[in-house]
């Protein structure tokens, strides 16, 4: 193998012993290329001295002057304060941690140079714990000083020294290939040198925004590499034929007739698009987006019926057990009258029942299965899986999606895939995440839905809220009370929900209060949901397990505690549990005070909008795509440098170049994937 920075281990650098090697490994830095792609988060300018009069809060500056006085102050915390003066003014240096001799030592220095952040302090502008030195003949830095992201016990200085060594190797011998050479964009080698060591006159503002041409060149390369990765994945996907279904016929018609509603225009259109997909002989992949409550489940059911007509099985995968069970109940009611067999699988289904079910799947007696991630397990095998549907796709990683599809591959046919989501993803983002996937949108809600009134209320008014809730339930409404926690610990969340349920039970007597949380068994949860569904329970206290899909029309009142802890799309999803029936619905978002600016902004978005697309867009703007798309189980893409929002304008060009390299220069294409993503075969397997 040719020697490249990629196969030079960081262990070859001076200063990297076993301990340092481990720490670097934690940052996923194994070789010199990794090290160089670990780019600075920001820069400090230590290349010039600023006059004290020109210092402003927030600046990081080098100042030079005389210490004119020192004293120890006894405020809330003891601190050592030294006054620094130059020809233009005076400023205080403040130290909370200081040694016995430090005061005397500072006093003794005729003149010092110091570096730090200017802040507003007790005595006007101050520097806290500046670095300082009296070695005034030392030259100032000639380049901006890089500050690297999280360094796990490695000091910035250690990291800088390592990077300098790697840069030296890079410059001596071209061990890092310039894989992309686009006129007008800097080469990757030059870009890396510049970004680790920007010249003093570099545009710091542009750098801090990630808009320096060197940063853009790297982002562009990464975006291109990612697109190539998608193309490899797609190629692998389409190598096998798909089961080709016939046009929908009698069974589908009977299914539509027996529904107790008529499909909306949008549903009809989308159903036709999905049905067309299933008639193709290559595996289809369609993203179906539709806001909460727009009626995606029935589209899934229609596709499943078409698969049944063609003697193929359908798997519907959902993120939670509650949702699995609910979809099971819905599908059973719709499909059993047509003599289609339906069942559901979750980790809580065990023993004889589970074995029977697995056997039915294998032999094909079972035609439609709803399940959680339990469906991926090895023991699960299908007779003829023709269609894999994934509901609430944002809760799954890419590779979980693929695992389900692989279940079908065993028969030499690749199942069709339909992915449903209420979290709308802008087209540029879906493109950059999944490549050119077919998309359908249900852009119409069924008639007769009433808008939900949303209010933002401080948690201190909880008692008053409980009274309102009681009044609403006494007059026939049903309500959800949602408990949230900062830690995503189901144990703690369950505890909080239990406490709340006890409290509400007392306060709401004689109303019946129920409880669901993730620590209950599937059966227990199902029982409670059933009692809530048939009206035996009026108030259901829940953790966010009810977030997705739960569909109980009479529930029209929702309280979400500590709403500020949840993401916007999550809040929108939760709120979507109400407003499903004819009566007027309320959603009260309780927050813990004080509420930060960003949180206030976010809650206001929810308050003023019920449009999932708009909410997701705002969420993207306020939080950035990483957080919005970044699913909990990972598996979605994490860019090293590129930022989908910031670099959107380069996406088209990256997609074009990716296609070109993929078809004309597979050596470079593979090398790019290798550099940015890992091996091509890994990518194919995600
Ligand atoms: P989501 O898109 O959020 O998954 P669901 O599929 O759960 O929405 O549908 C929400 C509710 O609306 C369900 O009770 C469903 O039966 C009902 N529904 C779906 N389509 C229609 C329609 N065309 N007219 C009336 N109700 C509908
Ligand atoms: Mg749904």
């Amino acid at each position: 193998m040719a020697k490249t920075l990629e196969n030079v281990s960081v262990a070859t650098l001076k200063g990297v012993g076993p301990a340092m090697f481990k720490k670097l490994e934690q940052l996923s830095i194994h070789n010199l290329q990794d090290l160089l792609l670990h780019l600075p988060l920001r820069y400090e300018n230590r290349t010039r001295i600023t006059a004290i009069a020109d210092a402003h809060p927030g600046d990081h500056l080098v100042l030079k002057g005389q210490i004119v006085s020192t004293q120890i102050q006894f405020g809330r915390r003891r601190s050592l304060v030294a006054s620094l003066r130059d020809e233009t003014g005076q400023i205080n240096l403040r130290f909370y941690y200081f040694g016995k001799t430090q005061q005397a030592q500072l006093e003794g220095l005729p003149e010092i140079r110091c570096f730090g952040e200017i802040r507003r302090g007790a005595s006007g502008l101050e520097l806290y714990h500046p670095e300082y030195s009296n070695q005034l003949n030392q030259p100032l830095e000639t380049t901006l000083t890089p500050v690297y992201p999280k360094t796990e016990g490695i000091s910035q200085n250690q990291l800088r020294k390592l990077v300098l060594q790697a840069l030296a190797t890079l410059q001596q011998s071209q061990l890092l290939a310039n894989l992309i050479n686009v006129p007008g964009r800097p080469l990757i080698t030059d870009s890396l040198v510049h970004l680790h060591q920007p010249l003093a006159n570099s545009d710091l503002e542009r750098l801090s925004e990630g808009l320096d041409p060197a940063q853009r060149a790297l982002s562009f390369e990464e975006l291109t590499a990612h697109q190539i990765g998608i193309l490899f994945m797609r190629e692998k996907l389409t190598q096998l034929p798909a089961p080709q279904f016939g046009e929908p016929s009698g069974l589908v018609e009977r299914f539509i007739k027996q529904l107790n509603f008529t499909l909306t225009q949008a549903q009809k259109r989308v159903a036709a698009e999905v049905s067309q997909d299933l008639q193709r002989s290559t595996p289809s992949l369609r993203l179906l987006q539709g806001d909460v409550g727009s009626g995606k489940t029935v589209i899934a059911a229609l596709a499943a019926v078409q698969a049944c007509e063609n003697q193929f099985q359908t798997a519907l995968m959902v993120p939670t057990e509650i949702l699995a069970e609910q979809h099971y109940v819905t599908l059973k009611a719709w499909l059993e009258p047509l003599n289609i067999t339906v069942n559901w699988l979750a980790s809580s289904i065990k023993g004889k029942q589970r074995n029977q079910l697995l056997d039915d799947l294998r032999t094909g007696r079972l035609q439609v299965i709803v399940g959680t991630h339990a469906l991926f397990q090895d023991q699960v095998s299908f007779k003829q899986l023709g269609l894999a549907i994934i509901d609430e796709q944002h809760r799954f990683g890419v590779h979980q999606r693929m695992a389900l599809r692989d279940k079908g591959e065993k028969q030499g046919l690749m199942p069709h895939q339909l992915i449903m989501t209420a979290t709308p993803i802008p087209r540029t983002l879906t493109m950059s995440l999944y490549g050119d996937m077919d998309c359908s949108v249900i852009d119409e809600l069924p008639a007769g839905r009433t808008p939900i009134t949303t209010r933002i209320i401080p948690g201190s008014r909880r008692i008053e809220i409980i009274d309102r809730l009681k009044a609403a339930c006494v007059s026939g409404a049903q309500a959800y009370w949602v408990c949230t926690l900062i830690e995503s610990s189901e144990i703690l969340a369950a505890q909080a929900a239990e406490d709340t349920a006890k409290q509400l039970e007392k306060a709401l007597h004689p109303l019946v209060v129920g409880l669901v949380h993730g620590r209950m068994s599937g059966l227990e949860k199902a029982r409670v949901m059933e009692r809530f569904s048939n009206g035996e329970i009026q108030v259901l206290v829940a953790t966010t397990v009810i977030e997705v899909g739960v569909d109980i029309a009479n529930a029209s009142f929702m309280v979400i505690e500590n709403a500020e802890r949840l993401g916007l799309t999550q809040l929108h999803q939760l709120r979507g549990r109400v407003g499903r029936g004819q009566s007027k619905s309320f959603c009260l978002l309780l927050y813990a005070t004080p509420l930060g600016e960003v949180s206030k902004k976010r809650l206001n978005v929810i308050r003023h909008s019920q449009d999932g697309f708009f909410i997701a867009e705002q969420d993207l703007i306020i939080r950035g795509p990483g957080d919005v798309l970044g699913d909990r189980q990972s598996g979605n893409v994490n860019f090293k440098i590129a930022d989908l929002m910031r670099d959107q304008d380069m996406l088209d060009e990256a997609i074009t170049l990716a296609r070109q390299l993929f078809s004309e220069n597979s050596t470079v294409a593979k090398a790019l994937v290798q550099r940015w993503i890992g091996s091509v075969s890994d990518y194919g397997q995600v």
Side-chain angles (χ1 to χ4, degrees):
M1 203 195 294
K3 194 173 171 221
T4 60
L5 289 193
E6 204 178 336
N7 42 48
V8 182
S9 163
V10 284
T12 60
L13 297 177
K14 223 175 68 195
V16 181
M20 176 65 88
F21 187 80
K22 271 232 174 72
K23 287 180 193 163
L24 287 168
E25 212 159 40
Q26 276 163 18
L27 298 173
S28 302
I29 299 176
H30 312 282
N31 57 55
L32 298 198
Q33 178 177 292
D34 296 335
L35 181 60
L36 289 179
L37 290 179
H38 191 70
L39 289 175
L41 198 61
R42 59 185 179 84
Y43 300 89
E44 290 169 354
N45 190 343
R46 299 165 187 239
T47 66
R48 59 188 151 81
I49 291 164
T50 304
I52 291 176
D54 293 336
H56 299 291
D59 293 347
H60 289 79
L61 299 173
V62 184
L63 302 174
K64 189 176 92 170
Q66 284 168 307
I67 299 291
V68 289
S69 69
T70 63
Q71 74 180 113
I72 294 187
Q73 288 186 355
F74 298 88
R76 225 177 322 154
R77 276 173 73 195
R78 211 165 66 104
S79 59
L80 166 63
V81 177
S83 291
L84 181 79
R85 180 192 292 163
D86 69 6
E87 306 80 67
T88 68
Q90 194 163 317
I91 198 165
N92 279 343
L93 318 182
R94 191 182 292 273
F95 301 88
Y96 286 105
Y97 306 95
F98 54 96
K100 284 199 184 98
T101 56
Q102 200 170 350
Q103 183 176 15
Q105 180 218 4
L106 269 167
E107 286 270 13
L109 299 175
E111 199 170 34
I112 65 162
R113 202 150 76 194
C114 66
F115 176 85
E117 184 187 348
I118 313 289
R119 303 204 209 165
R120 263 183 236 286
S123 65
L125 295 187
E126 298 187 347
L127 281 89
Y128 294 157
H129 287 273
E131 301 163 29
Y132 64 91
S133 149
N134 63 340
Q135 308 284 309
L136 296 185
N137 48 357
Q138 286 264 340
L140 285 161
E141 303 277 344
T142 53
T143 56
L144 300 180
T145 310
V147 180
Y148 293 97
K150 55 168 187 193
T151 51
E152 311 284 340
I154 307 173
S155 77
Q156 289 288 337
N157 263 328
Q158 285 173 313
L159 203 57
R160 282 173 201 147
K161 282 188 188 142
L162 297 181
V163 169
L164 283 184
Q165 293 179 62
L167 283 177
T169 316
L170 175 70
Q171 282 168 304
Q172 265 162 32
S173 44
Q174 291 287 326
L175 290 182
L176 187 94
N178 286 303
L179 296 171
I180 291 187
N181 193 345
V182 186
R185 283 200 201 288
L187 295 173
I188 186 169
T189 42
D190 299 339
S191 300
L192 289 175
V193 173
H194 168 64
L195 291 177
H196 287 287
Q197 293 271 284
L199 295 178
N201 62 0
S202 305
D203 186 336
L204 196 53
E205 196 169 320
R206 207 166 55 178
L207 274 170
S208 64
E209 284 167 10
L211 297 175
D212 187 280
Q215 287 162 322
R216 296 207 7 117
L218 291 177
S219 297
F220 179 72
E221 187 173 314
E222 184 172 26
L223 290 173
T224 307
H226 179 67
Q227 286 299 317
I228 295 172
I230 290 170
L231 291 170
F232 276 115
M233 190 163 86
R234 276 308 188 77
E235 185 181 53
K236 190 178 171 241
L237 264 183
T238 47
Q239 272 162 355
L240 288 173
Q244 188 170 10
F245 299 165
E247 251 180 71
S249 60
L251 211 50
V252 172
E253 276 157 32
R254 273 173 58 201
F255 172 82
I256 295 175
K257 259 201 214 111
Q258 57 138 44
L259 288 173
N260 56 5
F261 50 78
T262 43
L263 297 176
T264 61
Q265 285 309 317
Q267 283 171 320
K268 283 184 190 155
R269 187 189 66 238
V270 167
E273 286 164 351
V274 173
S275 155
Q276 284 296 324
D277 284 353
L278 303 181
Q279 294 168 51
R280 294 198 330 224
S281 58
T282 51
S284 62
L285 171 61
R286 180 173 295 275
L287 178 67
L288 168 55
Q289 303 186 30
D291 206 348
V292 176
S294 62
K296 295 182 289 293
T297 318
V298 70
I299 306 293
L302 269 166
V305 174
Q306 196 180 349
C308 282
E309 280 184 335
N310 292 272
Q311 278 73 53
F312 277 91
Q313 291 167 297
T314 299
L316 170 58
M317 186 171 73
V318 299
T320 67
E321 208 160 293
I322 287 191
L323 190 51
E325 208 253 343
Q326 184 189 290
H327 274 348
Y328 164 63
V329 172
T330 307
L331 292 183
K332 196 166 126 154
W334 281 340
L335 301 182
E336 278 191 351
L338 307 177
N339 290 322
I340 296 174
T341 46
V342 188
N343 212 334
W344 74 297
L345 179 68
S347 47
S348 62
I349 295 177
K350 295 198 173 84
K352 233 169 88 183
Q353 200 187 349
R354 186 185 196 87
N355 290 337
Q356 179 64 50
L357 185 148
L358 292 177
D359 198 50
D360 288 348
L361 267 185
R362 228 180 345 259
T363 56
R365 263 196 304 273
L366 183 55
Q367 291 158 293
V368 177
I369 178 107
V370 185
T372 59
H373 49 269
L375 286 177
F376 305 135
Q377 284 158 354
D378 282 343
Q379 314 101 316
V380 179
S381 74
F382 293 85
K383 178 156 188 275
Q384 283 257 284
L385 180 65
L387 171 64
I389 306 175
I390 287 144
D391 196 12
E392 311 295 349
Q393 72 89 29
H394 63 288
R395 303 290 297 267
F396 291 100
V398 178
H399 85 250
Q400 290 173 308
R401 254 195 322 114
M402 298 295 166
L404 181 57
R405 188 214 57 210
D406 285 345
K407 294 268 176 207
E409 194 184 324
K410 291 197 189 100
Q411 287 92 34
L413 288 176
M414 188 70 87
H416 294 285
Q417 261 196 92
L418 176 64
I419 303 172
M420 309 200 292
T421 182
T423 305
I425 315 171
R427 173 128 186 98
T428 39
L429 291 184
T430 56
M431 282 281 280
S432 52
L433 289 173
Y434 304 108
D436 205 1
M437 173 161 63
D438 294 315
C439 280
S440 294
V441 181
I442 306 184
D443 51 7
E444 179 188 356
L445 290 181
R449 297 276 160 87
T450 44
I452 304 166
T453 306
T454 304
R455 293 274 175 269
I456 308 174
I457 299 168
S460 53
R461 286 173 52 194
R462 202 161 177 271
I463 302 286
E464 191 186 319
I465 300 307
I466 295 176
D467 286 344
R468 262 184 82 181
L469 176 79
K470 188 168 182 177
C473 291
V474 164
S475 60
Q478 282 179 283
Y480 295 98
W481 185 290
V482 184
C483 301
T484 60
L485 273 188
I486 299 174
E487 301 97 319
S488 53
S489 150
E490 255 307 324
I491 302 181
L492 293 177
Q495 182 71 54
E498 270 166 25
D499 295 347
T500 306
K502 277 196 199 114
Q503 203 189 2
L504 288 180
E505 207 149 55
K506 267 198 209 124
L508 296 174
H509 185 82
L511 296 173
V512 183
V513 176
L515 172 67
V516 276
H517 58 64
R519 303 275 292 168
M520 291 162 57
S521 78
L523 197 66
E524 285 172 317
K525 275 185 276 191
R527 274 210 200 104
V528 176
M529 292 311 290
E530 199 184 309
R531 288 179 58 213
F532 187 54
S533 176
N534 63 27
E536 283 170 53
I537 289 174
Q538 281 91 50
V539 178
L540 183 65
V541 177
T543 59
T544 50
V545 290
I546 58 151
E547 177 185 338
V548 286
V550 172
D551 182 38
I552 291 164
N554 190 48
S556 60
F557 202 103
M558 173 174 276
V559 179
I560 304 177
E561 281 197 274
N562 301 107
E564 77 282 358
R565 292 172 181 170
L566 300 180
L568 283 191
T569 38
Q570 203 179 0
L571 279 171
H572 179 60
Q573 283 273 355
L574 270 173
R575 181 178 54 182
R577 300 313 116 219
V578 294
R580 291 178 169 245
Q582 304 295 332
S583 55
K584 181 144 186 48
S585 291
F586 294 89
C587 178
L588 310 184
L589 307 175
L590 304 195
Y591 63 87
T593 42
L595 191 61
E597 268 314 302
V598 173
S599 307
K600 202 178 287 172
K601 240 188 183 156
R602 295 175 49 227
L603 290 185
N604 266 315
V605 170
I606 286 286
R607 170 164 178 211
H608 292 296
S609 174
Q610 226 173 295
D611 174 346
F613 281 70
F614 174 77
I615 290 170
E617 217 172 74
Q618 292 301 307
D619 210 11
L620 279 171
I621 294 169
I622 302 172
R623 288 198 301 161
D627 287 323
V628 178
L629 301 172
D631 64 53
R632 297 139 225 229
Q633 359 228 348
S634 95
N636 270 343
V637 197
N638 272 323
F639 290 102
K640 290 192 174 84
I641 291 164
D643 175 325
L644 287 177
M645 283 308 266
R646 183 191 64 207
D647 303 324
Q648 263 185 54
D649 62 309
M650 295 190 286
L651 264 173
D652 279 344
E653 197 188 337
I655 290 170
T656 310
L657 179 61
R659 286 192 182 135
Q660 188 193 334
L661 290 173
F662 180 73
S663 58
E664 292 167 18
N665 194 337
S666 70
T667 316
V668 167
K670 281 185 184 139
L672 278 169
V673 173
Q674 181 82 38
R675 173 179 292 168
W676 291 96
I677 299 162
S679 82
V680 174
S681 59
D682 284 355
Y683 207 90
Q685 268 149 32
V686 293

